[in-house]
Amino acid sequence: MGRAPCCDKANVKRGPWSAEEDSILKNYLEQFGNGGNWIALPKKAGLNRCGKSCRLRWLNYLRPDIKHGGFTKEEDTIICNLYCTMGSRWSVIASQLPGRTDNDVKNYWNTKLKKNVLAGKLSDNTQVSVSTIPEEFGNSSYYLSADSAAGMIFDPSANSNYGNKMTSTTQEAAAASSLSISSSSSTLENNYDLRSANGNVEDEGILLDDFDFEYSYELLNGFDFEKASNEVAQCLGG
DNA sequence: AACTGGCTCAACCGCCCCGAT
DNA sequence: GATCGGGGCGGTTGAGCCAGT
């Protein structure tokens, strides 16, 4: 027997939000916040909606910091590489793209990026040189996954004029030392525990705590888009 | 102009996680 | 330690839009 639904679905409005509902929700949240309880919010705000629906509407559409509009090539690259590294962890991927939501990223990947990658079109006109592995990565303690074809290594301790570095070799990632993972309920805090398909915490992990994502764009320096496209295609079984 | 098929994206569904009790 | 309930997440759906015929 499944759990009880979060609300009486027969008696709440579903489907597209009207401008009036948007306005009510936005005004309420800006004035009172969600009070730590989304389920109770619609009643307090005077909305005949499911609490989860309100939460989704706010997070994916009404939040003031949401970025609408097309994705940049830099965002494409970040999405592709994080996807290849950690799979469909959309909330984590989105947390590295300011103003983007997990839903946005997921939709964008499913409808555009995935096809482009499989078609080998990721590189387009952005072509830069293939990166080489800096020597210091030999002892890298920070990395993102060792189990994908395009595992990336991040070394926040590297003090260089091009910020944190990324490379895309599996061997180096595999060579990196393992870390215990701190789990957090808030992925927005860049904490994340990588679990295998069976739910066990794996030793190949991801530690984003110490990674300064202000350098996201610097990561693109020295990145081979065409190679990445091939690698991501491999991740997809292409 | 009408039809059709593909695409986009907002929204929903169901499950899992985790904190509170 | 067990249970409960809310939050959060990834997968999926479907209405509306648009380009091609």
Side-chain angles (χ1 to χ4, degrees):
Chain A
M1 186 170 144
R3 58 180 301 117
C6 61
C7 57
D8 182 2
K9 296 190 187 303
N11 292 317
V12 296
K13 188 182 172 193
R14 297 165 66 186
W17 282 66
S18 67
E20 188 186 357
E21 288 175 309
D22 280 349
S23 176
I24 292 171
L25 180 60
K26 194 159 185 269
N27 289 340
Y28 184 87
L29 283 166
E30 283 173 352
Q31 199 172 347
F32 305 107
N34 72 354
N37 189 341
W38 284 104
I39 301 300
L41 184 143
K43 197 171 182 180
K44 291 179 187 171
L47 286 165
N48 187 27
R49 288 277 184 176
C50 171
K52 285 192 171 189
S53 182
C54 293
R55 174 185 164 270
L56 209 62
R57 184 65 178 170
W58 172 254
L59 293 179
N60 287 338
Y61 195 80
L62 296 177
R63 264 192 310 168
D65 57 335
I66 292 292
K67 193 194 290 181
H68 298 285
F71 283 69
T72 65
K73 279 195 176 308
E74 287 76 15
E75 288 174 317
D76 286 0
T77 305
I78 291 169
I79 293 167
C80 284
N81 284 283
L82 289 177
Y83 180 89
C84 198
T85 303
M86 66 182 72
S88 56
R89 311 285 181 165
W90 303 119
S91 59
V92 180
I93 295 172
S95 72
Q96 311 314 326
L97 299 169
R100 301 296 187 186
T101 69
D102 55 349
N103 214 32
D104 274 345
V105 175
K106 180 172 58 183
N107 282 332
Y108 183 58
W109 170 263
N110 285 332
T111 59
K112 289 183 183 171
L113 269 186
K114 191 174 173 181
K115 290 171 191 169
N116 287 348
V117 166
L118 287 173
K121 293 178 184 171
L122 183 64
S123 61
D124 207 322
N125 62 353
T126 310
Q127 188 67 264
V128 288
S129 62
V130 178
S131 64
T132 55
I133 307 160
E135 262 184 40
E136 59 263 37
F137 282 138
N139 295 318
S140 175
S141 296
Y142 302 90
Y143 68 99
L144 289 168
S145 179
D147 64 354
S148 73
M152 294 180 291
I153 299 171
F154 297 94
D155 185 359
S157 65
N159 180 20
S160 72
N161 59 5
Y162 56 95
N164 300 300
K165 304 181 187 68
M166 174 179 70
T167 187
S168 60
T169 69
T170 304
Q171 285 182 336
E172 285 295 322
S177 58
S178 300
L179 292 168
S180 60
I181 310 302
S182 63
S183 177
S184 166
S185 60
S186 172
T187 55
L188 295 177
E189 292 173 5
N190 292 338
N191 289 322
Y192 187 68
D193 65 336
L194 183 68
R195 293 170 191 275
S196 68
N198 64 11
N200 296 326
V201 175
E202 296 292 317
D203 60 354
E204 68 267 20
I206 178 170
L207 183 68
L208 302 180
D209 271 358
D210 301 307
F211 183 69
D212 186 349
F213 278 88
E214 284 181 6
Y215 291 107
S216 290
Y217 294 114
E218 278 84 348
L219 290 175
L220 302 171
N221 292 336
F223 186 68
D224 185 329
F225 285 76
E226 189 169 323
K227 184 181 174 192
S229 179
N230 292 334
E231 288 173 339
V232 176
Q234 281 179 26
C235 290
L236 298 173

